[in-house]
Amino acid sequence: MKQRLFGVFVGGGAKRMGGEPKGLLRPPDGSASIVERTLRIINDASPGSPAVLVGDATAYRGLRIPSIDDQPAGIGP
């Protein structure tokens, strides 16, 4: 099977969420954040396929996930 590369778009201005990056939000039960859950779903659907964050991933550095910056910066998905 051909290996795929998956991109997860991140890095918006978070203006609608009180400045909190949406991908880092967790449900009330405290389980995985939106981006963590998305990456788990990708891994379950295509084991071994790499995933990268696409956009300004500064807020996501603690997750240690490879990222690709917007070119040019700030344009969003």
Side-chain angles (χ1 to χ4, degrees):
M1 178 186 280
K2 185 177 179 181
Q3 188 178 35
R4 297 179 175 125
L5 174 66
F6 290 89
V8 178
F9 291 100
V10 298
K15 295 174 187 164
R16 293 173 288 182
M17 303 303 279
E20 174 113 15
K22 292 176 283 300
L24 294 176
L25 294 176
R26 295 181 182 276
D29 68 5
S31 58
S33 68
I34 293 169
V35 75
E36 290 167 328
R37 183 170 184 265
T38 301
L39 292 168
R40 186 180 72 237
I41 291 167
I42 289 169
N43 188 59
D44 289 349
S46 188
S49 292
V52 297
L53 302 178
V54 180
D56 180 1
T58 304
Y60 300 84
R61 282 191 183 138
L63 298 177
R64 299 181 183 262
I65 301 164
S67 64
I68 299 170
D69 292 334
D70 289 327
Q71 292 297 326
I75 62 169

